[in-house]
C-alpha cells in the first residue's frame, strides 16, 4: 500500500479513535481520508482487516468494557456514553465481541484486574472480530 494512502487511512482511523462518541458514517470517515466512500471502505479493510464500521464499533465496545468494569454506570448509560444509538444493537455487538452480555460483564468481579495498568488492560481485553489475531 502506498505510504501516502496509508497516512490518509490513519487520519480516518484516528478520527474514529478520538470521536467514537459522535455519529460517524462512512462518508464522514472517507472525507477525513480524502477518498470516496467506496474506495475508502475497500482500502480501509485491506489495510486494517475489518470494515470502517466494524472498527468503530470495536472501539466503542472497548470503551464500554472499561466503563462497565468501573461499575458506576448502568448498561443503558454506557450505551449512550459510547455513542451507540440502539441498546439492542449495542448489546448484540457487545455479546458477539466479548462473549457475554453487557449486564453479565458489568456484574462480574473485576477487582483482580484493578492493579493492572490501563494501557496493558486495554491490550489484553481489546475485543477483536478477527479471531486469528486474538488467539
Amino acid at each position: 500500500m502506498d505510504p501516502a494512502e496509508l497516512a490518509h487511512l490513519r487520519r480516518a482511523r484516528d478520527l474514529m479513535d478520538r470521536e467514537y462518541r459522535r455519529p460517524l458514517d462512512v462518508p464522514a470517515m472517507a472525507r477525513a481520508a480524502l477518498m470516496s466512500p467506496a474506495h475508502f471502505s475497500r482500502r480501509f479493510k485491506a489495510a486494517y482487516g475489518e470494515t470502517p464500521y466494524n472498527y468503530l464499533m470495536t472501539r466503542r465496545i472497548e470503551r464500554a468494557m472499561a466503563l462497565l468494569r468501573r461499575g458506576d454506570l448502568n448498561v443503558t448509560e454506557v450505551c449512550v456514553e459510547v455513542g451507540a444509538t440502539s441498546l439492542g444493537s449495542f448489546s448484540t455487538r457487545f455479546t458477539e465481541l466479548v462473549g457475554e452480555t453487557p449486564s453479565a460483564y458489568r456484574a462480574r468481579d473485576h477487582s483482580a484486574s484493578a492493579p493492572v495498568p490501563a494501557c496493558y488492560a486495554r491490550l489484553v481485553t481489546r475485543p477483536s472480530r478477527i479471531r486469528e489475531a486474538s488467539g
Side-chain angles (χ1 to χ4, degrees):
M1 183 168 292
D2 173 359
E5 184 178 48
L6 196 53
H8 291 298
L9 292 171
R10 271 197 304 272
R11 188 177 307 138
R13 188 187 66 186
D14 290 346
L15 172 71
M16 288 182 262
D17 289 342
R18 194 177 51 253
E19 303 290 335
Y20 63 89
R21 286 183 181 158
R22 280 189 28 216
L24 294 171
D25 57 10
V26 172
M29 294 179 240
R31 279 190 300 278
L34 306 175
M35 297 177 183
S36 73
H39 184 69
F40 168 71
S41 292
R42 283 190 304 273
R43 300 309 292 161
F44 190 93
K45 185 168 183 172
Y48 298 111
E50 60 186 331
T51 66
Y53 178 76
N54 285 339
Y55 181 88
L56 176 61
M57 286 306 295
T58 300
R59 294 292 71 75
R60 287 176 174 166
I61 297 303
E62 181 179 53
R63 180 65 182 139
M65 290 171 69
L67 293 172
L68 290 168
R69 279 193 304 271
R70 219 172 58 190
D72 60 333
L73 300 175
N74 66 40
V75 174
T76 303
E77 292 168 329
V78 168
C79 174
V80 171
E81 181 68 24
V82 300
T85 55
S86 161
L87 181 59
S89 296
F90 168 77
S91 295
T92 299
R93 183 62 58 99
F94 189 97
T95 303
E96 177 185 303
L97 290 174
V98 179
E100 62 186 320
T101 65
S103 298
Y105 186 83
R106 183 181 184 275
R108 196 158 34 97
D109 180 22
H110 297 282
S111 62
S113 64
V116 176
C119 58
Y120 185 73
R122 275 193 303 273
L123 177 67
V124 173
T125 62
R126 175 168 281 169
S128 175
R129 297 182 63 82
I130 307 168
R131 296 298 170 215
E132 301 82 42
S134 65

